[in-house]
């Protein structure tokens, strides 16, 4: 096969890139190692920056988001005995939207298939060959067991943290910055109306807790747990008890309900640069991971592919590589800003492990920081600009 852009991975990055390219008349083929059902069911993030919403709308996948998504104009930050609201609109003039990544993925898949776009689901043994030549090729074995290969002008590595794209770049050319956090998130999806109108991020001596939502009927909640903890140790009762204790506030009740999904996710910050090697371009989790506390992972993926889409269209349609040559440097500016913000939010809200000799001191610093950020207009504006994504213009 031959196409203009071969895309590895059908997560939000790969699907949206294909959508952007198609709208500009550039052809692409996606190779994905999981099934469509698996990709559509994978529960992940749920908060979109206003700029990310604009990108999705610009490329024709904003209708259901605007109809079913929830606009949030603020967020609650909590520590024992206190819950204070930060008003994004008042602080920086912007909002965020709560809309599940599963729904974005479904909307994008439907849009791609409606366009008769080719997606190879359940491909295995994907490899990228000749990325440093003029004829890069993606090879794989299709779901019927037949070997296949796609020759392209460019290959987009959108295959997430565990994909094959990043390791295709010779190690000597890659620079990695990372931090593994000494805690993880246990997340549940529950069939119960949210007990709050906006997200609550809570610091508690037992560990961080958070209340998010997916709709008026579905809640999403998280608990800080040890990184080596096993989900088998957490019965539904134990999870709800932990959430009730950590989110407790006088006069407020947390409503529980049947748990639809539960899992533990490790937390890391990771940036691999550059995001380009020859004709291979990385986007999204393939190149960087943030801890979920800042709600940035999905937004970074969207910002990357908006930029990458424009750069590929310019090269393929107009013969100019200027945007492609700048892609990695330009994209990394936002990546670093979001990496910083996610690290800052994570550090402010998670309790240090009990073995940490500085634990008491650090907890006091965290409460002081929460007080400051919820009482100083300037500090609240800093958080709001970062959370809503207005800190940097969208590409
Ligand atoms: N070959 C083909 N596809 C692969 C391979 C491979 N070798 N390895 C992984 N994939 C697929 C995965 O199955 C997945 O569908 O690549 C896709 C990568 O999708 P994501 O991990 O969702 O990454 P991305 O599209 O960059 O989206 C980033 O998703 O992971 C969340 O929190 C993250 O919100 C962020 C967003
Ligand atoms: C979510 O709704 O899943 C969610 C929201 C905010 C975060 C992380 C996850 O910071």
């Amino acid at each position: 096969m031959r196409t203009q852009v071969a895309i590895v991975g059908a997560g939000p990055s790969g699907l949206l890139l294909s959508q952007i390219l198609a709208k500009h008349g550039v052809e692409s083929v996606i190779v994905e190692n999981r099934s469509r059902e698996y990709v559509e069911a994978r529960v992940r993030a749920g908060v979109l920056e206003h700029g990310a919403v604009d990108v999705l709308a610009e490329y024709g996948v904003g209708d259901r988001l605007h109809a079913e998504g929830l606009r949030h104009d603020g967020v609650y930050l909590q520590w024992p005995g206190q819950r204070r609201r930060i008003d994004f609109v008042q602080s920086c003039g912007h909002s965020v939207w709560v809309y599940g990544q599963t729904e974005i993925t479904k909307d994008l898949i439907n849009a791609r298939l409606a366009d008769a776009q080719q997606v190879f689901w359940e491909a295995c043994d994907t490899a990228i060959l000749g990325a440093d030549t003029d004829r890069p090729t993606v090879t794989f074995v299709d779901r019927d067991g037949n070997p296949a290969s796609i020759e392209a002008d460019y290959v987009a590595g959108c295959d997430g943290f565990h994909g094959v794209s990043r390791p295709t770049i010779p190690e000597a050319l890659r620079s990695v910055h990372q931090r593994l956090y000494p805690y993880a998130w246990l997340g549940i999806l529950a069939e119960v109306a949210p007990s709050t109108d906006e997200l609550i991020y809570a610091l508690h001596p037992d560990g961080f807790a958070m209340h998010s939502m997916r709709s008026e009927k579905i809640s999403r909640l998280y608990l800080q747990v040890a990184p080596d903890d096993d989900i088998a140790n957490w019965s539904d009762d134990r999870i709800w008890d932990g959430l009730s204790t950590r989110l407790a506030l006088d006069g407020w009740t947390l409503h529980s309900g049947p748990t639809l999904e539960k899992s533990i996710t490790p937390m890391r910050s990771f940036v691999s640069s550059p995001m380009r090697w020859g004709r291979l371009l990385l986007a999204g989790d393939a190149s960087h991971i943030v801890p979920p506390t800042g709600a940035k992972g999905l937004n970074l993926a969207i910002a990357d592919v908006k930029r990458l889409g424009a750069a590929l269209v310019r090269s393929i349609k107009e013969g100019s590589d200027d945007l492609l040559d700048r892609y990695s440097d330009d994209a990394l500016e936002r990546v670093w800003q979001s990496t910083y913000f996610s690290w800052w939010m994570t550090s402010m809200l998670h309790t240090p492990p009990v073995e940490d000799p500085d634990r008491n001191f650090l907890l006091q610093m965290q409460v002081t920081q929460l007080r400051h950020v919820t009482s100083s207009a300037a500090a609240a504006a800093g958080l709001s600009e970062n959370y809503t994504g207005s800190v940097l213009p969208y590409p």
Side-chain angles (χ1 to χ4, degrees):
M1 275 170 281
R2 158 103 211 142
T3 191
Q4 289 174 307
V5 181
I7 300 175
V8 184
S13 300
L15 290 165
L16 180 59
L17 179 63
S18 170
Q19 179 82 358
I20 293 174
L21 293 173
K23 295 282 171 208
H24 293 281
V26 171
E27 188 187 277
S28 63
V29 173
I30 303 181
V31 178
E32 160 65 49
N33 66 353
R34 301 286 194 162
S35 68
R36 176 180 174 185
E37 296 70 32
Y38 180 94
V39 169
E40 287 188 345
R42 200 164 38 194
V43 179
R44 291 232 177 116
V47 175
L48 289 169
E49 296 170 349
H50 64 94
V53 172
D54 293 347
V55 174
L56 293 170
E58 182 184 349
Y59 287 99
V61 278
D63 291 353
R64 202 158 69 91
L65 192 169
H66 280 119
E68 296 174 23
L70 309 166
R71 198 189 81 207
H72 281 201
D73 293 342
V75 74
Y76 297 103
L77 296 183
Q78 174 170 334
W79 60 99
Q82 294 286 335
R83 180 179 296 170
R84 303 225 183 126
R85 179 168 187 266
I86 291 192
D87 189 319
F88 298 146
V89 177
Q90 201 184 328
S91 304
C92 75
H94 293 286
S95 308
V96 293
W97 284 73
V98 174
Y99 186 66
Q101 184 171 323
T102 43
E103 304 316 301
I104 296 175
T105 306
K106 282 182 210 156
D107 295 345
L108 283 166
I109 291 176
N110 286 335
R112 300 318 308 119
L113 298 181
D115 252 11
Q117 186 69 32
Q118 206 162 13
V119 183
F120 287 93
W121 303 104
E122 295 170 77
C124 54
D125 298 337
T126 318
I128 301 164
L129 309 175
D132 57 340
T133 71
D134 284 344
R135 301 239 160 230
T137 304
V138 174
T139 61
F140 59 101
V141 174
D142 75 15
R143 69 172 155 197
D144 301 319
N146 303 312
S149 92
I150 308 171
E151 195 185 274
D153 295 337
Y154 292 99
V155 175
C158 300
D159 49 354
F161 187 64
H162 300 287
V164 294
S165 300
R166 190 179 62 256
T168 299
I169 304 178
E171 209 171 336
L173 302 180
R174 275 187 277 142
S175 131
V176 168
H177 292 78
Q178 71 172 322
R179 171 167 162 76
L180 268 169
Y181 297 87
Y183 27 76
W185 272 20
L186 186 164
I188 63 165
L189 197 64
E191 203 175 345
V192 59
S195 307
T196 177
D197 56 340
E198 291 173 338
L199 273 56
I200 307 169
Y201 289 83
L203 172 74
H204 186 278
D206 290 357
F208 168 77
M210 150 150 170
H211 191 331
S212 179
M213 62 197 71
R214 285 294 174 273
S215 67
E216 273 137 34
K217 294 191 185 125
I218 303 284
S219 298
R220 177 94 171 129
L221 298 110
Y222 297 96
L223 281 175
Q224 174 185 347
V225 297
D228 55 354
D229 209 336
D230 187 341
I231 194 71
N233 297 329
W234 289 86
S235 66
D236 287 4
D237 283 349
R238 185 177 174 208
I239 293 172
W240 285 109
D241 281 352
L243 289 166
S244 302
T245 305
R246 299 184 195 184
L247 291 167
L249 190 74
D250 276 352
W252 180 81
T253 311
L254 175 68
H255 301 292
S256 61
T259 302
L260 304 172
E261 199 261 358
K262 57 178 173 178
S263 59
I264 294 182
T265 318
M267 290 172 73
R268 71 165 88 223
S269 296
F270 175 95
V271 180
S272 173
S273 55
M275 293 170 70
R276 175 186 185 182
W277 181 51
R279 288 177 175 262
L280 168 63
L281 292 308
L282 303 184
D285 279 17
S287 176
H288 41 75
I289 295 280
V290 285
T293 328
K296 287 291 160 241
L298 175 59
N299 292 297
L300 273 183
I302 292 172
D304 280 357
V305 295
K306 171 82 196 296
R307 199 179 279 290
L308 179 55
L312 289 170
V313 168
R314 188 154 166 94
S315 172
I316 291 168
K317 290 277 182 191
E318 296 169 31
S320 165
D321 285 348
D322 57 347
L323 296 181
L324 264 187
D325 289 341
R326 286 171 32 196
Y327 166 66
S328 179
D329 286 347
D330 287 354
L332 282 164
E333 191 182 343
R334 189 173 207 93
V335 169
W336 281 121
Q337 183 65 32
S338 295
T339 300
Y340 163 72
F341 177 64
S342 306
W343 163 81
W344 178 80
M345 284 282 279
T346 301
S347 312
M348 177 167 69
L349 287 159
H350 291 74
T351 45
V354 276
E355 316 74 81
D356 190 330
D358 297 334
R359 189 172 197 270
N360 251 359
F361 174 80
L362 291 171
L363 277 172
Q364 189 56 46
M365 292 300 98
Q366 291 172 287
V367 170
T368 304
Q369 218 172 353
L370 283 164
R371 271 209 184 93
H372 176 61
V373 87
T374 53
S375 57
S376 146
L383 186 145
S384 300
E385 283 175 356
N386 277 285
Y387 200 91
T388 63
S390 60
V391 65
L392 286 173
Y394 252 68

